[in-house]
Amino acid sequence: MTFASATAPFSADRLRRSLLQWFVKHERHHAHATSRFILLAWIGFLGMPAYYTIWTYWFPQEFESLALRLLGAALCLPALAPGRLLRGRFVNAYLFVALTYVLPFQFTFMYLMNHGSAVWSQSMLIALTVLFHFRTRWALAACAIGSALACALFALVGEAAFMLSPTVLEQLPIYAFTMIAVSVAKAGRGALAGEKLAGMAHALASVSHELRTPLVSVEANVRGICRRITPPARASEADWQAMSEAMTRIQYEVRHMNHMIDLFLLSASAVEQRLEATEVVSMRQVVDSVIRRYPFAAQSQRDAVSVDIRTDFRFAGKYELSVVILLNLLRNALKALHRAGKGRIRIVVDGRPEQPRLLVIDTGCGIAARQLPMIFQRFYSYPPSSGAGIGLALCKDIIDAWQASIRCVSRELGYTMFVLEFPRVAVAPEPH
């Protein structure tokens, strides 16, 4: 008995972590609403027949419908294999139709057909709570359409006058309060995350400015020393050559730090910008700019990076934010090479596929399978000392705002590949 009680919390914790990693994995491979619906689809697919049995045989209700349940389970099926079925231009339409049917339509219709029983009035509250965890405008549209269709069907097959009875009307303020409360709570969580990001941005900007002043002073002093040094008789030529090389390295490190500060400031400003696409950008220009601007530590590091422009393409985004994305990906790739002590980096621009793409591939240390699902989480970094954990999360937020996608494929000690895919721009004005 003691052994069982000791292992139960461990098993529950393992289950919780497994579910969280599963959800995060799908969240990073799909849009936020899609990943949330995938989890809901599993619940619906299993729950539809289960609750038909419960409300028909164990706790019989006035009305149940196997046909409605099976249709709901069938609508959940495509989400159970998201990698193969949730693709293409009709994904959002499918999600909206399935969500509208499974939650507001079915629950409203069953509530009305059961004449507002306690079971279905409480079930409606649960359905609305789940529904309004999706985007608020999406949830409002689904709720309005689903409820209207349910009421129309009930008017045809049931007692239309019941919809205006006190049993129904007295529930409406409760349902309205539920929708408002969930929406406000969701907005509050978003505001807190935004405040945390803004605070980090301000702190990063302040630290960067504070660092720049002593670095400028150090560089000026190094220049002064180099000008004033005159070789004494007892110092050898080799001694002065070594000192000169040391001074050159100090100057280089100062320039490198200034370049890195520029990158940090650019990332800090991106956190506070509106991320929506407002320009049409050439990917070739973005790559060229990043290669010119990146503060490579040595020529050997620069030589490890190759660029393959197969076909340039233009995409809807923002030029400076595009630079931020690629700078972050390149910096992470160079860190991976440094940790592994080997490898090369390829940046591939390929505008030929239906969805033009940018690939950033390195053959450095790779990413462990257990870490891969979390790399786009905000404030997550591995190893923990490797950074603040906002770089890849910021890239994901920007890419999502542009209706594009970013994913990572990796093998530990082998390679890492980031794939960025963009909607094709049909008519493109001059790029930035």
Side-chain angles (χ1 to χ4, degrees):
M1 181 66 69
T2 304
F3 177 78
S5 62
T7 57
F10 173 73
S11 300
D13 187 57
R14 285 187 61 185
L15 178 61
R16 180 186 63 80
R17 288 201 305 269
S18 299
L19 287 173
L20 178 61
Q21 289 184 354
W22 179 90
F23 182 71
V24 170
K25 176 182 177 182
H26 284 80
E27 175 113 1
R28 300 313 177 192
H29 281 284
H30 303 281
H32 185 66
T34 308
S35 60
R36 188 161 288 174
F37 183 78
I38 290 170
L39 184 59
L40 179 62
W42 276 103
I43 297 173
F45 181 75
L46 299 174
M48 292 288 180
Y51 274 89
Y52 174 80
T53 303
I54 291 171
W55 301 142
T56 302
Y57 300 107
W58 295 357
F59 304 103
Q61 298 299 301
E62 180 181 346
F63 174 81
E64 256 299 336
S65 171
L66 181 60
L68 291 177
R69 295 278 188 182
L70 291 178
L71 179 56
L75 282 173
C76 294
L77 270 175
L80 304 188
R84 292 186 291 272
L85 299 178
L86 285 190
R87 291 179 175 176
R89 66 184 67 180
F90 300 111
V91 170
N92 287 333
Y94 157 73
L95 292 177
F96 183 78
V97 170
L99 190 69
T100 300
Y101 177 87
V102 170
L103 289 176
F105 172 80
Q106 186 165 320
F107 278 78
T108 301
F109 182 70
M110 298 295 280
Y111 168 79
L112 294 173
M113 291 298 291
N114 284 279
H115 291 90
S117 68
V119 164
W120 282 101
S121 64
Q122 294 176 47
S123 298
M124 273 289 292
L125 280 175
I126 296 172
L128 290 173
T129 301
V130 173
L131 177 63
F132 277 82
H133 273 83
F134 290 84
R135 293 193 301 269
T136 301
R137 282 187 291 184
W138 215 36
L140 283 171
C143 185
I145 295 172
S147 300
L149 292 175
C151 290
L153 181 60
F154 178 74
L156 291 176
V157 301
E159 304 169 15
F162 176 71
M163 289 186 287
L164 297 177
S165 67
T167 301
V168 174
L169 296 179
E170 69 185 5
Q171 294 295 319
L172 295 183
I174 299 174
Y175 297 153
F177 177 79
T178 300
M179 292 186 286
I180 293 171
V182 174
S183 299
V184 169
K186 184 173 62 178
R189 289 194 299 270
L192 286 175
E195 287 179 8
K196 188 173 183 180
L197 280 173
M200 288 189 67
H202 287 303
L204 187 58
S206 299
V207 169
S208 300
H209 285 299
E210 290 296 327
L211 283 173
R212 191 182 297 279
T213 301
L215 286 173
V216 170
S217 175
V218 167
E219 186 174 28
N221 279 281
V222 169
R223 288 198 304 268
I225 291 172
C226 289
R227 284 195 304 267
R228 291 175 179 273
I229 284 179
T230 55
R234 65 182 72 165
S236 68
E237 185 67 25
D239 291 334
W240 289 106
Q241 180 65 28
M243 187 178 296
S244 176
E245 290 175 358
M247 292 298 182
T248 301
R249 286 196 298 271
I250 291 173
Q251 285 183 302
Y252 178 85
E253 291 298 334
V254 170
R255 289 197 301 272
H256 176 79
M257 183 58 71
N258 273 307
H259 282 302
M260 293 305 296
I261 287 173
D262 289 336
L263 173 59
F264 292 152
L265 287 172
L266 194 58
S267 297
S269 65
V271 168
E272 297 185 296
Q273 286 187 35
R274 294 184 61 85
L275 304 181
E276 291 78 9
T278 57
E279 306 168 17
V280 174
V281 185
S282 163
M283 185 57 77
R284 177 196 287 271
Q285 290 187 3
V286 173
V287 173
D288 290 344
S289 174
V290 168
I291 296 300
R292 285 196 312 269
R293 295 165 71 168
Y294 194 86
F296 294 101
Q299 185 60 40
S300 59
Q301 193 181 64
R302 170 63 185 89
D303 293 340
V305 181
S306 63
V307 176
D308 180 7
I309 308 290
R310 296 176 182 174
T311 307
D312 187 23
F313 64 89
R314 298 175 182 180
F315 61 96
K318 285 185 177 180
Y319 177 79
E320 284 300 324
L321 293 184
S322 305
V323 171
V324 168
I325 292 172
L326 189 51
L327 281 172
N328 274 291
L329 295 179
L330 179 57
R331 182 177 57 177
N332 288 345
L334 288 168
K335 285 181 179 178
L337 266 59
H338 179 72
R339 286 198 293 269
K342 55 92 177 178
R344 297 187 62 81
I345 299 170
R346 288 180 61 213
I347 300 175
V348 181
V349 177
D350 191 358
R352 293 174 297 182
E354 181 180 351
Q355 286 191 308
R357 60 186 183 175
L358 172 72
L359 308 178
V360 180
I361 310 164
D362 73 77
T363 54
C365 62
I367 302 172
R370 65 182 181 278
Q371 306 295 337
L372 194 58
M374 278 85 76
I375 61 172
F376 291 106
Q377 282 185 350
R378 188 166 289 125
F379 312 122
Y380 177 85
S381 62
Y382 185 84
S385 60
S386 63
I390 63 172
L392 287 178
L394 176 60
C395 293
K396 181 72 167 60
D397 288 342
I398 296 171
I399 288 292
D400 286 347
W402 295 348
Q403 305 300 311
S405 67
I406 180 172
R407 67 181 189 274
C408 179
V409 182
S410 185
R411 189 180 71 212
E412 192 172 13
L413 303 179
Y415 68 92
T416 298
M417 177 172 65
F418 283 90
V419 182
L420 287 71
E421 294 179 318
F422 298 84
R424 186 171 290 279
V425 177
V427 180
E430 285 301 311
H432 180 92

